Amino acid sequence: MDTLGDVNQQTVRAPLHQFSVPLSATRRGARLARLLAAEQLSSWGAPLDPARIVVAELAANAVLHGRVPGRSFRLTLSVVRAGTLRIEVADTRGDHLPAPARAGGDVLAESGYGLLLVEELADRWGVRCGPVPCKTVWAELDFDPCR
């Protein structure tokens, strides 16, 4: 039997701030994700950069690689604790997991470097599978909450 102390320890803390919106899996939807993120971060007093770049890259990937006709993608921004911004982009192509491009190849590609950029800018990032057929690519950025 759980005691009150056990229940309190199991409680998951709600984010300090959270914003979530479905967007069309189009170039316009990816652009809107970046613009909405900038507005939301400004209203929270959180730094815009590098978050705008991370949102732009993850949204572009959802449109280019995670698109299923007639399905949207979801952008979620959360300040999960003071000084940590979590960016999530969920799409309906859970069968197509992202992998960063290999750096140092002989041929310079015009695209394929988005996740390398995310990896460089984010303090942590990864992929969460499910619920079927979805996947969520997430990144966390640490920032000074006093600035």
Side-chain angles (χ1 to χ4, degrees):
M1 182 158 105
D2 288 337
T3 66
L4 185 55
D6 294 334
V7 171
N8 286 339
Q9 288 179 349
Q10 295 170 4
T11 303
V12 176
R13 287 184 174 228
L16 300 174
H17 298 288
Q18 187 165 17
F19 170 79
S20 188
V21 62
L23 297 160
S24 65
T26 62
R27 288 180 12 184
R28 180 175 279 173
R31 180 175 180 272
L32 186 56
R34 182 179 49 81
L35 295 172
L36 289 171
E39 274 300 310
Q40 197 61 53
L41 294 172
S42 289
S43 75
W44 292 343
L48 297 180
D49 292 318
R52 281 189 294 198
I53 297 167
V54 172
V55 168
E57 293 300 333
L58 295 182
N61 280 352
V63 169
L64 292 173
H65 307 294
R67 184 174 187 272
V68 173
R71 298 288 180 99
S72 60
F73 71 93
R74 177 170 290 277
L75 169 67
T76 302
L77 304 172
S78 311
V79 177
V80 292
R81 60 187 165 273
T84 301
L85 171 68
R86 185 175 179 95
I87 300 164
E88 297 181 343
V89 174
D91 64 52
T92 53
R93 286 289 308 269
D95 61 325
H96 190 75
L97 297 180
R102 299 284 180 225
D106 292 338
V107 179
L108 293 176
E110 291 183 19
S111 65
Y113 294 97
L115 287 179
L116 285 175
L117 190 56
V118 169
E119 187 171 348
E120 187 65 29
L121 294 174
D123 294 290
R124 294 161 297 283
W125 79 279
V127 180
R128 185 178 67 241
C129 295
V132 173
C134 299
K135 73 171 175 301
T136 300
V137 182
W138 60 270
E140 287 186 345
L141 305 169
D142 295 331
F143 65 94
D144 182 1
C146 298
R147 288 174 67 192

